[in-house]
Amino acid sequence: MSEKTYSNFIEEIIEKDLDKNIYDGRVHTRFPPEPNGYLHIGHAKSICLNFGTAQKYNGKCNLRFDDTNPQKEDKEYVNSIIEDVKWLGFDWGDRLFYASLYFDKMYEYAVQLIKKGKAYVCDLTAEEIREYRGTLTKPGKDSPYRNRSIEENLELFERMKNGEFADGSKTLRAKIDMSHPNLNMRDPVMYRIVHTPHHKTGSKWSIYPTYDWAHCLEDSIECITHSLCTLEFADHKILYDWFLEQLGIYHPKQIEFARLNLTYTVLSKRKLTRLVNEKYVQGWDDPRMPTIAGLRRRGYTPESIRDFVEKTGITRSDSVVDYALLEHCIRDDLNKKAQRVMAVLDPLKVVITNYPQDKTEELDAENNPENPNDGYRKVPFCSEIYIEREDFKEDAPKKFFRLSPGKEVRLKHAYYITCNEVIKDKNGNITELRCTYDPQSKGGWTDDGRKVKGTLHWVSAKHCIDAKVRLYSHMFTKENPDDAEDDFLDNFNQESLLVLKNCKLEPSLKDAKFGTSYQFLRKGYFCLDKDSHNNNLVFNQTVTLKDTWSKIVKKK
Ligand code: ATP
Ligand code: MG
């Protein structure tokens, strides 16, 4: 019999559980974000893994808000998370849950532990708890409150719940082992006193559960089978299991995988929050941000993000993925989908002296050579056009195949033109070119076998529309902005946004739609930004056309 192969180690565990009929043949996962920030591309990995695994095994996946800390959480984040998971293409059916729905149940479970002598109310401050905990090499010390009677603990805990004590003055702690080799087992805190209203439960509660106490209960209450989390929780698994064993309730299996890291950016809500609050970027959906909302506004598609996540794979060892792979995935997707158009980002005027001044022709332009069914559109051509300033050089080197004095180039979809004269202002800046066109070259070719190497994009000066275009580069100047001792914000790339204010677009783009991507020929993929209104168009560059990923792969 041949060995069965699995696409990743998590599927191997799940399939073995299915074979043994553990969990009655069910697969039930959950994606458990804390609503204290917007989701980022790292969360996309967890979303695709949790929802994707459930789909694959005909199981279910819950969307569950881990809303146990009212001091940092907000309804705005809840709404953005719902929107982002949906946009990525996943559906939780009627299983949208909140940890706060279980606060009563969690309280009951805590009372059970107190009654079993497994939890106690402690009056040490947070700092004292830290001191008493010890270190990896030094055992901890018992809290002086550790041996309170069950009755006293029950009474104090109830009074904590009723709001009788000040923030931070008491905690409920599990009574485990202050000399346990795993620090998480040294009487971990289960409840803190926090007098802050909660976005779901209002001011009903004055105590809130910690992650370690809450998470295993949430999973158990929802009958999750496989609780997939990132590696930093591996050291907490022993506690996850301890709580559930002590209570003797349904016990899911926690499985850890490596988180996604990406070069030239940070994937931590705490750091992304600083970028927003300290105004390095314009908000959570700033197109430079690695958030789902930022990527969407930048022009990324759900398909490209899912493809990216799949390509990075599921492992148990930490690694950093090259940003170029993410760009490769969006290029690959948009190459198939995006309509081609012409846009001049840095315009230089060209007057075609032998073309009738009052004439306009509507030329056929192919919408997408990758997809012939996309057909053709009309682009207007007349005696005055714009080309890209960088496509002209007065003293052109030999290898420069674009326009220069006396040279002939092809205008995409239009004609051959030859440059005859360069007009300059009094400072010597080029303001205009005078060219002639060849009427025999309509459509961009002739039948006399003439070789014209360069092909330029262009727009009609009389018909084009104006727009602003935003170009982006990496948000940080270092591949790993977290690396050094310095503050990661010191590595913020001050040139990560470049706004071009005088761009000229072909007239078809006046009907550009939000959420649609366009390839500006030779310039990359672009999409309309939400800052656009009426005649004030703003486009974001999603990505350039040059694929650096294929080069990186070849080198490897
Ligand atoms: P951050 O570290 O950005 O603050 P978090 O882990 O605190 O993230 P949660 O809201 O708790 O954010 O995350 C929800 C789920 O997403 C968790 O299961 C978490 O393990 C997972 N997750 C978070 N970041 C990543 C990442 N970079 N790669 C893969 N999964 C992640
Ligand atoms: Mg977290």
Side-chain angles (χ1 to χ4, degrees):
M1 212 174 81
S2 66
E3 276 284 304
K4 191 165 180 188
T5 57
Y6 304 93
S7 40
N8 62 54
F9 76 96
I10 292 181
E11 296 194 352
E12 178 170 356
I13 296 173
I14 291 178
E15 289 184 29
K16 286 182 173 163
D17 284 349
L18 287 173
D19 286 345
K20 287 189 244 156
N21 209 29
I22 298 176
Y23 307 116
D24 309 322
R26 290 182 308 122
V27 174
H28 199 155
T29 56
R30 85 288 174 261
F31 173 62
E34 183 181 353
N36 60 350
Y38 279 57
L39 297 180
H40 53 64
I41 182 93
H43 293 116
K45 179 169 191 146
S46 180
I47 295 168
C48 292
L49 175 63
N50 278 294
F51 282 93
T53 304
Q55 262 167 16
K56 177 159 180 181
Y57 296 103
N58 261 324
K60 291 176 181 162
C61 180
N62 300 353
L63 174 58
R64 179 210 304 151
F65 288 100
D66 208 352
D67 56 347
T68 52
N69 180 1
Q71 286 165 319
K72 290 194 177 154
E73 296 163 5
D74 196 271
K75 192 121 192 21
E76 176 194 347
Y77 300 135
V78 169
N79 293 338
S80 74
I81 290 169
I82 289 178
E83 181 182 0
D84 290 349
V85 179
K86 254 191 218 156
W87 180 79
L88 276 175
F90 297 105
D91 182 4
W92 49 89
D94 56 0
R95 295 177 312 280
L96 172 63
F97 300 123
Y98 292 83
S100 54
L101 288 171
Y102 315 137
F103 282 172
D104 283 296
K105 190 90 197 153
M106 289 176 186
Y107 181 82
E108 268 173 49
Y109 283 137
V111 169
Q112 281 182 34
L113 280 196
I114 295 174
K115 285 184 177 161
K116 290 179 80 171
K118 299 285 182 188
Y120 62 98
V121 173
C122 180
D123 295 6
L124 294 181
T125 62
E127 202 179 313
E128 286 165 337
I129 291 182
R130 224 171 297 127
E131 275 169 33
Y132 275 69
R133 183 178 294 130
T135 63
L136 281 174
T137 50
K138 206 176 95 202
K141 275 194 305 187
D142 283 0
S143 158
Y145 306 98
R146 200 172 197 260
N147 293 318
R148 277 180 164 149
S149 69
I150 290 176
E151 291 66 36
E152 190 184 0
N153 281 322
L154 286 172
E155 188 214 315
L156 287 173
F157 186 48
E158 187 170 358
R159 291 174 60 197
M160 278 170 67
K161 180 189 79 160
N162 293 340
E164 292 185 31
F165 305 117
D167 282 15
S169 62
K170 287 185 174 18
T171 54
L172 183 75
R173 298 176 67 179
K175 194 170 179 176
I176 310 180
D177 178 359
M178 285 309 291
S179 54
H180 198 285
N182 184 327
L183 269 66
N184 293 304
M185 295 295 272
R186 298 186 185 171
D187 290 11
V189 171
M190 297 161 62
Y191 278 96
R192 292 164 295 120
I193 302 177
V194 181
H195 290 270
T196 301
H198 185 281
H199 68 101
K200 289 297 269 189
T201 57
S203 42
K204 173 172 175 190
W205 294 90
S206 306
I207 53 171
Y208 289 93
T210 55
Y211 176 89
D212 283 322
W213 170 241
H215 206 82
C216 56
L217 298 182
E218 297 159 23
D219 284 345
S220 174
I221 292 167
E222 291 176 16
C223 287
I224 298 304
T225 57
H226 300 86
S227 177
L228 312 179
C229 63
T230 35
L231 282 180
E232 69 270 24
F233 296 107
D235 283 347
H236 297 246
K237 183 185 165 88
I238 183 172
L239 186 51
Y240 184 102
D241 292 336
W242 188 87
F243 280 132
L244 296 178
E245 272 160 31
Q246 295 304 317
L247 292 166
I249 56 177
Y250 173 82
H251 196 151
K253 183 178 282 181
Q254 174 179 308
I255 307 170
E256 308 90 21
F257 65 96
R259 54 196 298 129
L260 174 74
N261 301 299
L262 200 54
T263 56
Y264 295 106
T265 193
V266 289
L267 296 184
S268 138
K269 279 188 279 192
R270 192 176 57 74
K271 291 185 180 141
L272 297 174
T273 306
R274 283 192 66 192
L275 285 163
V276 174
N277 289 349
E278 296 172 35
K279 306 232 170 346
Y280 281 82
V281 294
Q282 277 139 28
W284 283 98
D285 68 347
D286 185 298
R288 285 166 289 183
M289 291 280 270
T291 52
I292 306 295
L295 290 166
R296 174 168 62 232
R297 187 167 169 196
R298 179 86 174 257
Y300 277 75
T301 57
E303 291 81 1
S304 68
I305 294 177
R306 294 200 303 260
D307 179 35
F308 168 72
V309 163
E310 184 151 327
K311 286 192 161 79
T312 62
I314 304 294
T315 65
R316 274 200 58 103
S317 54
D318 272 317
S319 63
V320 184
V321 176
D322 203 306
Y323 203 94
L325 177 60
L326 180 62
E327 295 185 328
H328 169 81
C329 292
I330 184 63
R331 251 182 223 113
D332 196 42
D333 192 32
L334 294 183
N335 181 41
K336 289 172 254 162
K337 292 177 183 166
Q339 167 164 348
R340 274 59 170 168
V341 290
M342 293 196 286
V344 175
L345 305 188
D346 182 14
L348 171 61
K349 187 175 255 184
V350 173
V351 176
I352 301 167
T353 52
N354 62 337
Y355 195 90
Q357 271 190 26
D358 50 3
K359 183 175 167 183
T360 297
E361 269 179 279
E362 296 284 337
L363 303 173
D364 288 320
E366 196 178 20
N367 283 329
N368 185 354
E370 297 291 317
N371 205 346
N373 292 338
D374 285 357
Y376 289 79
R377 69 188 182 288
K378 297 284 185 191
V379 290
F381 183 79
C382 67
S383 63
E384 288 188 13
I385 63 168
Y386 289 113
I387 63 166
E388 214 69 68
R389 189 164 283 274
E390 64 175 19
D391 282 339
F392 176 77
K393 265 204 170 73
E394 206 168 6
D395 301 307
K398 235 179 152 195
K399 286 262 161 82
F400 187 80
F401 298 118
R402 294 171 266 169
L403 198 59
S404 56
K407 279 272 192 63
E408 188 171 46
V409 294
R410 173 188 300 106
L411 295 176
K412 182 77 178 172
H413 308 308
Y415 292 101
Y416 293 170
I417 56 167
T418 305
C419 177
N420 307 305
E421 201 183 333
V422 181
I423 314 283
K424 295 179 182 173
D425 64 14
K426 59 179 191 307
N427 301 320
N429 299 316
I430 300 172
T431 54
E432 189 179 303
L433 304 176
R434 300 271 163 91
C435 297
T436 47
Y437 86 115
D438 176 359
Q440 300 304 314
S441 61
K442 188 165 177 174
W445 65 285
T446 53
D447 49 16
D448 60 7
R450 209 151 93 220
K451 278 224 169 73
V452 173
K453 268 208 165 155
T455 301
L456 309 187
H457 62 278
W458 55 276
V459 296
S460 156
K462 290 181 193 158
H463 304 86
C464 65
I465 53 175
D466 294 326
K468 270 190 208 157
V469 168
R470 297 177 183 151
L471 304 181
Y472 300 98
S473 30
H474 289 313
M475 189 151 61
F476 291 94
T477 50
K478 279 193 187 160
E479 215 176 275
N480 181 357
D482 276 330
D483 209 10
E485 278 98 61
D486 47 18
D487 186 358
F488 76 102
L489 290 170
D490 295 344
N491 301 319
F492 185 82
N493 180 5
Q494 299 294 346
E495 281 149 34
S496 50
L497 168 63
L498 178 66
V499 184
L500 304 174
K501 295 195 173 124
N502 181 31
C503 307
K504 307 286 182 189
L505 316 183
E506 68 165 71
S508 74
L509 280 167
K510 75 172 183 300
D511 300 320
K513 292 190 178 52
F514 290 108
T516 300
S517 288
Y518 301 89
Q519 187 193 98
F520 291 4
L521 286 182
R522 302 172 66 222
K523 288 286 158 194
Y525 294 98
F526 294 79
C527 64
L528 195 62
D529 187 78
K530 69 175 188 187
D531 287 342
S532 304
H533 38 84
N534 301 332
N535 295 327
N536 234 325
L537 299 182
V538 183
F539 281 83
N540 293 323
Q541 184 179 50
T542 309
V543 68
T544 59
L545 293 176
K546 205 165 105 201
D547 191 10
T548 49
W549 177 248
S550 40
K551 265 195 222 134
I552 294 169
V553 173
K554 264 188 213 139
K555 258 196 273 169
K556 277 183 182 164

